[in-house]
């Protein structure tokens, strides 16, 4: 006796959250059944394995049919075939578009192309996430990217409108799209300690301040591409380190303001400006005193090149986070320093690019504070 | 020219891509009614075309209006080749033809294609202008209302219940016409769908004419079925009960459906044999007038008629009075006389109703059934389907005479069914013999449907159990005792019926679903020989099914079955029997004896031991069941219950009817049996197996109850959460072990596993009850058994009594603080249930509202009974407006029950009767048979909901899937399925709506996002 056919259709579509998670996680029916058995559900309900098998199959079938609609969530709302309460629809969508931290860290900043898709096997092996689940997550990224890539208006709003995601998840996707578009390097070893949340935070700040959308809300790609003109202008900031007087003045302003407030004052003072020579040479053992200011300004000046844009995070870590960390700056000192460092530029009479500096440093300060942790 | 049909095609959405090159579609629409066709313009290159057409006007007879469906075809325009069909929508415009139902059909309909399923949606508006036609000889019956509900619909009052109406029409099945060889499957399917739609329309019109002849205005309990007779044709037949209904005007008078079984609402059949106590005080007419007088202030009286009507009660109650003990005889005789006069003009005094107005049902005799095996032959003249008519007439005659033998003049809970395999057809009819109160059956009698408040000291709920037949001249051996309730009348020891449990019946404990399942192998044979073989098997099947039912009933410690439905299905090489019923313990009937096992070889020691072991197990099970279903009848001291020595079971309980034709008609004497312990002889393996199967039936997990009637005896605090579902299973038998036992076991396992799966799936609804569990068995092929179940799971509240009081207080406070005008400013937000607000409000709004989110959504709150107030009416009007195009899809509830718990049905919009065919030639690609059927059933639900929503409704009640014929050919990667569903489209208003609006609106709005936010990781 074998079940040729076995179905259950409710007027209100039954959604089992646990099975949905198993399905999203890419388990096959038999794996899912095995996991459910292990969860002790049989003992709780007195059901048999056959019942569980049939139930799991049913849910998988339903999810399979829903998947087509989940690719365009507004369709899920307007379709007539599955009667699903709005709260459940939201749950289905939200979970479908949710992603694993481990996975997103692997593909963040990579081109969402066929090539990357081929690497999913390796990612799956590395992260322990099933290939199926990797594919779904990758396809989600790609789908969202394709839809909002060339769209007018706020990136987050566009994602929310076209994929009906929660505010939080929409922001995450905005970060993913932004990173994919600008191809920021996130995979280097020294960046490994950073979480997706760190990058997403930075992405949001950059979208708000450094993109075309920050100055003009009526352009295509406004939130996705960095403002080229702005990047061009950043070269002007070089004067802050090139002009010795300006640099000294800046340093003394910062030092005066912070004297007695920083626990690492001497390190800060030493690092602000390099001793006479060899600032760039570092011995591998002890990080040489690094010129924090020069580092930050140089990062700005280089952003005109695409390659340097990609390496933005690597540079920030190398030029700022690592030196500070090696001197054991507490986070609060970093905050005080960065605040004072950005603010005192306003008192530099010879410096003409105050607005530009604020646009650059405002964002960078936020990013650095977020990136500064163990 | 009595009617003008107007149709407007507004827009389409989610259309499929028909042009691969552009990934778009150039769609246009053909609108066809009768022989007239209109077309819209082609809307180029869009998957969401906005046609916004003019009004297409069809000037037609009302006869055509009734028969023809409106046919809307969506096509893709192609300049160089033939236009490709995208799909069709058939709209039954019948609901627009009666005044009180829908006035407009407007909404999004799924575009359906028999090969591809649903392909997008189309927005259509349909209206009808009817002109008055005074032609006496008209062929139409516009205005007669149809209800699938097998009781008097909730917002109506039965003035007269006229009785049985039936009709059948036949035609050639397009699938078997010669042309089918050269046309595409799609064309063939569409021809079939259209034909059946046409035939149903015609059938309904003809039945309507009969109703008008009887001076009725409605058909209740309308049941329409298709017989796919293959080569010999297609029969569409229908039965129903003609009534004259009056719409109840005051909304306050509705009986809240969810509460109908509760104690407070109990109504006494006022014509029932009166209370011995009141009688002992001598002729007491004045007193009784008081007893029956109306108290119009009470909210639960169904009508507020003046107390004038009470006068008419006087003679009847007077008639009932007499010397208490002996009154039964003369009273019954009198009653019979009256009923007879009321019923004798009728050819068939049958009623398809299963629940009745109070006082309608006087006595119940027992189940009567008849079956007949027929050989199908081609219907030569479709306009004169005499053979089919004659067949059914014959069976109905049998039923009638069986009822007579039980001392009854009427049959209630009547239904008819067929099972066809090749050219053999089994026709079945069954019902419950009953004695009815003539008051409802005649013209010019008093107003029906009177209700009285339950007086504390009146015995209720036993009258219908009293035997209608003569004690001295019993039609079969039965053990009678005095009624355990009133002690004046005789009752049988068990009672089997096909009706719902009367609301006033006194029941002990809870009920449960009882099933008897049986398979019998049969040799493959042709024509005449086959029919004879089946005829010979039938009586044994009936007998076995009955024995199983009786055993299981006793095992549950219960004494009556309601809603009994026995289905006998014929296949190539076997017969299947499946009986479902709801067992209850009626307080009026004696306590059932236990089950005793007796062996034939008493000398064998180990055998003895085995038997005593079994006996112990059975006794334990009975004790456990009594506890489970809370059966603790009051102890009756003066009665000697059961004689200690059980007598052997009588083997002659079957009464064969006398027809000696090739077909066999059987009457079951279903009220037989000894009051004493029931003896099972396990002298052969068969009986052994019976005992085993008795013990293998597992009770539902705790928190679950199930029944196949409308309501579960013993549960009355339903909450509003319902889940209707259909589950289908097909098993393939391995042909090696085809013995009766193996078959039985397989079949039994199939049903039990299916139930287990249902309990598991619905576990989140605990505590809950599966109501109206409807099993159907079919044998699509040699080794395949298909079981289809449709039921509704309803949650109930174990501790509602306390909460009711609390919420009442709360509610009154809330209502006081609610400003009506404020309510009406947010028509779209009124209810999260019937017209959900957009679940994704802009983010900022969400954040704001999230902070105000304080706790439980309103829908989950305890539901309490509440009178409709003008405010509620106002809300309702707002919500019943057709959903606007860009709002999300409105929720449509579906239920096989005639009511919706926690809600009031305010309007019946018309009957839904739909027939769909789905075929595939890419079975594997669609997920195999399960994927195919799963999708199809989901689509059928969707189409039903869309039609209801377009009529302005928000629920289907009395929903039934009458047919689900599934055929597969995996080798050819093909499958085909036919589904026929029906029900009543209604508008309901939640009783808790006021709460929702006044307090919970912001919560309801942000709810989806709140949950959404939480799951992000």
């Amino acid at each position: 006796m074998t079940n040729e056919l076995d179905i259950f259709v409710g007027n209100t579509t039954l959604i089992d959250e646990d099975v949905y998670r198993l399905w999203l996680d890419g388990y096959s029916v038999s794996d899912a059944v095995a996991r459910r058995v292990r969860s002790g559900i049989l003992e709780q309900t007195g059901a048999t394995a056959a019942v569980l098998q049939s139930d799991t199959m049913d849910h998988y079938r339903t999810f399979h049919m829903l998947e087509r609609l989940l690719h365009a969530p507004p369709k899920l709302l307007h379709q007539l075939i599955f009667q699903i309460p709005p709260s459940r629809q939201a749950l289905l969508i939200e979970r479908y578009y949710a992603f694993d931290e481990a996975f997103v860290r692997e593909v963040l900043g990579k081109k969402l192309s066929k090539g990357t898709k081929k690497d999913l096997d390796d990612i799956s092996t590395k992260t322990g996430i099933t290939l199926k689940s990797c594919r779904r997550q990758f396809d989600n990224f790609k789908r969202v990217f394709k839809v909002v890539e060339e769209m007018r208006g706020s990136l987050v709003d566009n994602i929310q409108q076209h994929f009906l995601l929660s505010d939080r998840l929409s922001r995450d996707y905005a970060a993913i799209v932004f990173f994919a578009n600008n191809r920021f390097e996130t995979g280097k070893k020294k960046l490994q300690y950073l979480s997706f949340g760190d990058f997403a935070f930075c992405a949001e700040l950059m979208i708000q301040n450094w993109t075309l959308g920050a100055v003009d809300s009526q352009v295509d790609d406004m939130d996705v591409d960095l403002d080229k003109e702005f990047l061009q202008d950043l070269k002007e900031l070089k004067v802050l380190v090139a002009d010795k007087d300006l640099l000294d003045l800046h340093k003394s302003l910062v030092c005066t303001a912070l004297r007695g407030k920083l626990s690492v004052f001497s390190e800060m003072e030493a690092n602000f400006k390099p001793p006479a020579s060899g600032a760039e040479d570092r011995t591998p053992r002890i990080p040489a005193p690094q010129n924090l200011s020069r580092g930050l300004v140089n990062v700005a000046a280089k952003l005109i090149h695409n390659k340097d844009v990609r390496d933005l995070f690597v540079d920030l870590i190398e030029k700022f986070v690592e030196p500070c960390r090696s001197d054991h700056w507490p986070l609060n000192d970093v905050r005080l320093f960065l605040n004072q460092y950005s603010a005192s530029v306003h008192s530099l009479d010879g410096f003409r690019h105050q607005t530009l500096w604020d646009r650059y440093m405002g964002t960078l300060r936020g990013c650095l504070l977020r990136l500064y942790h163990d | 020219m009595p009617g003008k049909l107007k149709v407007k095609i507004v827009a389409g959405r989610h259309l499929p891509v028909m042009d691969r090159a552009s990934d778009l579609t150039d769609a246009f629409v053909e609108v066809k009614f009768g022989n007239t066709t209109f077309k819209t313009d082609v809307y180029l290159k869009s998957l969401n075309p906005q046609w916004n057409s003019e009004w297409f006007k069809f000037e037609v007879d009302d006869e055509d209006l009734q028969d023809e469906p409106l046919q809307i075809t969506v096509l893709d325009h192609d300049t160089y080749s033939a236009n490709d069909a995208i799909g069709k929508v058939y709209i039954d415009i019948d609901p627009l033809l009666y005044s009180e139902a829908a006035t407009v059909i407007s909404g999004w309909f799924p575009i359906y294609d028999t090969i591809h399923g649903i392909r997008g949606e189309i927005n259509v508006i349909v209206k009808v202008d009817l002109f008055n036609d005074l032609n006496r000889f008209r062929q139409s019956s516009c205005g007669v209302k149809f209800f699938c509900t097998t009781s008097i619909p909730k917002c109506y009052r039965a003035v007269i219940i006229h009785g049985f109406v039936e009709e059948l029409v036949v035609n050639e099945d397009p699938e078997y016409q010669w042309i089918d060889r050269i046309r595409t499957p799609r064309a063939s399917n569409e021809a079939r769908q259209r034909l059946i739609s046409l035939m149903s329309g015609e059938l309904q019109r003809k039945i309507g004419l009969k109703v008008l002849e009887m001076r009725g205005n409605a058909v209740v309990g309308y049941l329409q079925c298709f017989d796919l007779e293959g080569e010999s044709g297609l029969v569409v037949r229908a039965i129903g009960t003609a009534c004259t209904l009056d719409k109840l005007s005051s909304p306050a008078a509705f009986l809240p459906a969810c509460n109908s079984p509760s104690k407070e609402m109990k109504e006494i059949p006022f014509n029932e044999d009166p209370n011995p106590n009141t009688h002992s005080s001598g002729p007491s007419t004045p007193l009784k007038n008081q007893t029956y007088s109306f108290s119009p202030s009470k909210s639960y009286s169904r009508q507020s008629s003046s107390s004038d009507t009470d006068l008419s009660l006087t003679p009847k109650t007077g008639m009932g009075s007499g010397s208490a003990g002996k009154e039964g005889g003369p009273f019954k005789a009198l009653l019979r006389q009256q009923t007879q006069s009321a019923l004798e003009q009728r050819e068939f005094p049958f009623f398809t109703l299963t629940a009745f107005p109070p006082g309608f049902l006087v006595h119940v005799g027992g189940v009567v059934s008849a079956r007949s095996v027929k050989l199908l032959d081609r219907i030569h003249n479709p306009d004169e389907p005499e053979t089919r008519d004659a067949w059914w007439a014959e069976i109905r005659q049998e039923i009638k005479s069986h009822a007579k033998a039980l001392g009854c003049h009427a049959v209630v809970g009547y239904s008819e069914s067929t099972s066809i395999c090749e050219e053999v057809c089994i026709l079945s009819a069954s019902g419950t013999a009953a004695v009815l109160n003539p008051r409802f059956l005649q013209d010019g009698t008093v107003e029906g449907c009177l209700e009285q408040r339950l007086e504390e000291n009146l015995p209720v709920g036993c009258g219908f159990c009293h035997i209608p037949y003569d004690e001295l001249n019993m039609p079969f051996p039965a053990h009678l005792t005095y009624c355990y309730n009133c002690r004046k009348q005789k009752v049988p020891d068990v009672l089997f019926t096909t009706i719902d449990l009367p609301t006033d019946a006194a029941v002990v404990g809870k009920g449960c679903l009882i099933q008897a399942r049986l398979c019998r192998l049969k040799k493959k044979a042709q024509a005449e020989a086959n029919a004879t073989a089946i005829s010979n098997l039938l009586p044994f099947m009936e007998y076995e099914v009955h024995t199983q039912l009786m055993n299981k009933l006793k095992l549950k410690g219960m004494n009556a079955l309601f809603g009994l439905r026995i289905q006998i299905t014929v296949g190539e090489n076997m017969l299947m029997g499946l009986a479902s019923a709801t067992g209850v313990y009626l307080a009026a009937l004696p306590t059932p004896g236990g089950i005793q096992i007796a062996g034939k070889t008493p000398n064998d020691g180990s055998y003895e031991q085995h038997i005593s072991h079994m006996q112990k197990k059975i006794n334990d099970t009975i004790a456990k069941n009594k506890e489970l279903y809370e059966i603790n009848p009051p102890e009756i001291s003066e009665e000697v219950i059961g004689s200690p020595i059980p007598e052997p079971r009588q083997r002659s309980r079957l009464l064969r009817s006398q027809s000696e034709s090739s077909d066999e008609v059987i009457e079951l004497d279903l009220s037989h049996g000894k009051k004493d312990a029931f003896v099972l002889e396990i002298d052969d393996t068969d009986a052994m197996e019976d005992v085993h199967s008795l013990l293998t039936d597992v009770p539902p997990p705790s928190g679950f109850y199930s029944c196949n009637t409308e309501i579960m005896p013993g549960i009355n605090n339903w909450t509003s959460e319902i889940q209707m579902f259909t589950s289908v299973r097909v098993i393939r038998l391995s042909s090696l072990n085809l013995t009766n036992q193996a078959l039985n076991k397989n079949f039994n396992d199939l049903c039990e596993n299916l139930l287990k799966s249902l309990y598991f799936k619905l576990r989140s609804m605990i505590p809950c009850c599966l109501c109206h569990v409807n099993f159907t068995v079919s044998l699509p092929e040699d080794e395949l058994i298909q079981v289809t179940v449709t039921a509704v799971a309803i949650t109930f509240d174990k501790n509602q009594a306390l909460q009711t009081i609390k919420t009442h207080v709360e509610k009154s406070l809330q209502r006081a603080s609610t400003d009506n005008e404020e309510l009406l400013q947010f028509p779209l937000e009124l209810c999260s249930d019937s017209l959900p607000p957009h679940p994704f409000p802009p983010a900022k709004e969400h954040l704001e509202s999230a902070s105000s989110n304080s706790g439980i959504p309103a829908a989950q709150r305890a539901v309490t009974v509440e009178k409709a107030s003008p405010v509620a009416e106002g809300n309702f009007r707002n919500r019943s407006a057709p959903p606007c195009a860009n709002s999300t899809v409105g929720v449509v509830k579906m239920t096989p029950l005639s009511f919706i718990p926690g809600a009031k049905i305010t309007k019946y919009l018309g009957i839904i009767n739909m027939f769909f065919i789905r075929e595939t030639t890419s079975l594997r690609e669609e997920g195999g048979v399960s994927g195919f059927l799963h999708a199809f059933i989901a689509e059928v639900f969707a189409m039903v909901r869309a039609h209801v929503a377009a009529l302005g409704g928000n629920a289907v009640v009395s929903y039934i899937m009458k047919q689900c014929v599934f055929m597969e050919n995996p080798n050819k990667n093909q499958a085909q399925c036919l589904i026929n569903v029906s029900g009543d489209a209604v508008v309901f208003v939640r009783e808790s709506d006021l709460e929702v609006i006044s307090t919970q609106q912001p919560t309801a709005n942000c709810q989806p996002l709140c949950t959404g936010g939480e799951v992000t990781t």
Side-chain angles (χ1 to χ4, degrees), chain A residues 288-350:
Chain A
Q290 178 117 0
N291 186 334
L292 295 179
S293 182
R294 172 167 293 180
L296 294 178
V297 172
N298 278 343
V299 165
K302 288 197 300 179
L303 282 178
I304 190 63
H305 307 294
N306 274 338
K307 195 194 157 293
D308 292 306
V309 169
R310 285 184 210 168
D311 285 338
L312 175 66
F313 288 94
V314 183
D315 288 343
L316 290 180
I317 299 300
E318 280 178 356
K319 303 278 161 58
F320 186 86
V321 175
E322 284 183 344
C324 294
R325 208 193 278 149
S326 72
D327 286 339
H328 306 291
W329 291 37
L331 179 61
N332 201 39
D333 287 2
V334 177
R335 180 176 297 117
L336 282 171
F337 167 75
L338 283 174
N339 286 348
Q340 199 53 49
Y341 175 72
S342 336
S344 27
V345 168
H346 295 286
S347 316
L348 296 175
D349 287 337

Side-chain angles (χ1 to χ4, degrees), chain B residues 404-416:
Chain B
K404 231 173 215 153
L406 287 171
C408 298
H409 290 281
V411 176
V412 292
Y414 179 74
S415 65
E416 293 175 348

Side-chain angles (χ1 to χ4, degrees), chain B residues 896-912:
Chain B
L897 307 180
S898 64
F899 66 94
I900 292 168
K904 289 189 192 84
I905 293 173
T906 53
K907 196 173 183 188
Y908 281 79
L909 299 167
I911 201 167
I912 295 280

Side-chain angles (χ1 to χ4, degrees), chain B residues 102-168:
Chain B
T103 51
V104 62
I105 299 177
S106 164
W108 288 99
F109 291 88
I111 303 167
Y112 182 73
D113 178 68
T114 61
I115 305 294
H116 293 104
I118 290 178
R119 305 172 95 189
E121 289 122 35
I122 184 168
N123 196 318
V124 181
I125 306 175
V126 186
K127 286 180 179 171
V128 171
D129 290 339
L130 272 184
F131 313 127
N132 263 339
D133 182 18
L134 298 174
N135 179 4
R136 278 189 316 127
F137 304 103
R138 62 183 186 163
Q139 286 300 298
S140 83
S141 55
C142 288
V144 175
K145 293 181 277 288
F146 284 79
F147 301 92
C148 295
T149 303
T150 57
S151 55
I152 302 303
K154 289 288 179 296
C155 43
Y156 290 90
R157 186 172 65 89
V159 181
I160 308 160
I161 298 173
H162 299 282
F164 192 59
V165 277
E166 48 77 32
E167 186 64 78
L168 64 80

Side-chain angles (χ1 to χ4, degrees), chain B residues 433-568:
Chain B
V435 175
L436 304 178
N437 186 333
R439 202 165 46 82
F440 291 92
L441 307 171
Q442 291 161 342
D443 289 357
T445 45
V446 289
E447 306 257 289
C449 231
L450 298 178
E451 284 167 49
Q452 284 77 37
R453 162 124 220 202
L454 166 70
E455 296 296 323
E456 294 296 311
N457 56 351
L458 277 180
V460 289
C462 64
F464 72 93
C465 307
H466 301 163
I467 52 163
Y469 35 85
D470 195 342
E471 198 183 331
L472 300 171
N473 189 15
M474 284 198 299
F476 45 79
H479 196 285
L480 302 180
T481 45
Y482 278 106
C483 174
Y484 277 50
N485 204 28
C486 68
R487 312 233 154 224
K488 300 298 169 204
Q489 304 278 309
K490 291 286 176 74
V491 292
D493 58 346
V494 267
L495 186 62
F496 284 16
T497 74
T498 57
I499 55 172
D500 270 342
L501 183 70
T503 46
D504 58 342
V507 170
V508 177
K510 297 195 165 69
C512 75
L513 179 71
I514 290 180
Q515 285 196 319
R517 303 155 188 146
L518 186 71
C519 301
R520 280 290 168 267
L521 285 170
K522 164 186 88 66
K523 284 211 180 72
K524 279 194 189 182
Q526 291 300 309
E528 200 81 37
N530 197 12
T532 315
I534 294 168
S535 300
N536 290 339
L537 271 172
L538 277 180
F540 295 100
M541 300 272 299
E542 298 256 14
Y543 171 76
E544 290 268 343
V545 164
H546 180 245
T547 310
Q548 257 191 50
L549 281 176
M550 190 63 95
N551 288 345
K552 288 188 176 175
L553 184 65
K554 301 236 173 208
L555 202 66
K556 295 277 193 297
M558 299 176 184
N559 58 20
L561 287 182
F562 287 89
L564 177 65
R565 187 167 161 264
I566 303 177
Q567 195 194 355
I568 305 260

Side-chain angles (χ1 to χ4, degrees), chain A residues 106-158:
Chain A
E106 292 296 323
V107 295
L108 191 66
K110 284 191 183 150
K111 200 174 172 191
L112 299 173
S113 62
K114 286 229 172 77
T116 314
K117 199 170 180 182
K118 276 184 197 132
D119 298 338
L120 290 180
D121 283 7
D122 299 337
I123 295 176
S124 168
T125 326
K126 188 176 164 195
T127 57
I129 299 163
T130 60
L131 183 59
K132 226 178 140 192
S133 178
C134 288
R135 289 225 177 95
R136 171 182 60 84
Q137 298 181 38
F138 182 81
D139 289 342
N140 283 344
F141 293 170
K142 195 169 166 183
R143 193 175 316 112
V144 174
F145 183 86
K146 287 259 170 206
V147 169
V148 299
E149 187 183 18
E150 297 190 337
M151 215 171 251
R152 233 163 237 224
S154 145
L155 184 56
V156 177
D157 289 353
N158 283 339

Side-chain angles (χ1 to χ4, degrees), chain A residues 4 7 9 11-12 55 83, chain B residues 723-724 726-727 730 761 945:
Chain A
E4 275 274 304
I7 57 158
V9 190
N11 183 38
T12 304
D55 180 64
Q83 182 158 283
Chain B
Q723 167 70 291
M724 189 283 295
T726 293
S727 186
V730 177
K761 281 202 172 288
R945 288 193 302 257

